Amino acid sequence: MSIFKTKWIILKLSKTKPWEFLYTIFTKEYWKILCNKKISKKEKSLDLGYLVNFEITTKENQSIHKIRNIKIISEYKRENKSFKELNSYLIILSIIHNKIPTWAPILELFNLLEIITSHPNMDVTKLTLTRLKIISIFWELNENNSNPTIAKILKFINSNKIDRILKLTWISEEIEKKLELI
């Protein structure tokens, strides 16, 4: 049996029993892992997008691991968020959950999730740009577009890190709507 500590983000959760949950988590060091945890009535329940420190207990040839000693670092603040904003965030988590294989060490994705989970001014435009950056990380973002402004934005997203991308402020509503469709 092994015990190790790491930082992780919840990509997916499902309830298996009244007080037991199955989590698909994404970690910086160990990538995508399946874990379960029995939650006591005194503990705060965990939700999608939480950035958490914890200990994981694993056994050889075991595909579902146990987690304990959970400390929530930050969570995606859902208060005062529009449906569109929450939906955009959930789409980002879903893309990562569905696209990243269990064995893939994509550190940039973890850093990106860490930034948007704790970013104080995250809005729909920034979430759209983040989603496009994730698509770019998976080599699926096509820079070619008939609109030259959109083509420039896509090229900028492909060639820059998320902290620079989130500084974009001049995107019009019309361009934003077109970017959402990509």
Side-chain angles (χ1 to χ4, degrees), residues 92-147:
I92 287 170
L93 293 178
S94 176
I95 290 170
I96 292 172
H97 177 265
N98 293 329
K99 295 249 181 221
I100 192 164
T102 337
W103 48 267
I106 304 177
L107 182 61
E108 187 178 4
L109 275 178
F110 188 87
N111 292 338
L112 184 143
L113 281 173
E114 201 170 18
I115 288 168
I116 65 170
T117 299
S118 57
H119 195 285
N121 301 319
M122 193 56 62
D123 58 19
V124 175
T125 304
K126 290 178 179 163
L127 288 167
T128 300
L129 295 171
T130 301
R131 180 182 54 80
L132 293 172
K133 181 59 181 178
I134 290 167
I135 293 169
S136 168
I137 290 169
F138 288 116
W139 301 91
E140 296 178 2
L141 185 64
N142 184 357
E143 291 180 6
N144 299 325
N145 195 291
S146 58
N147 183 322

Side-chain angles (χ1 to χ4, degrees), residues 151-163:
K152 284 181 185 178
I153 291 171
L154 296 176
K155 186 172 184 169
F156 182 81
I157 288 170
N158 258 338
S159 59
N160 285 283
K161 294 191 182 283
I162 192 66
D163 54 342

Side-chain angles (χ1 to χ4, degrees), residues 58-84:
T58 184
K59 293 181 183 175
E60 200 173 328
N61 300 325
Q62 186 177 7
S63 61
I64 300 177
H65 311 284
K66 303 274 185 209
I67 54 177
R68 64 182 189 192
N69 297 332
I70 295 170
K71 180 183 175 201
I72 299 170
I73 299 169
S74 68
E75 58 187 87
Y76 186 72
K77 303 290 185 208
R78 294 184 300 271
E79 301 83 30
N80 304 321
K81 301 284 186 189
S82 68
F83 172 79
K84 191 173 183 180

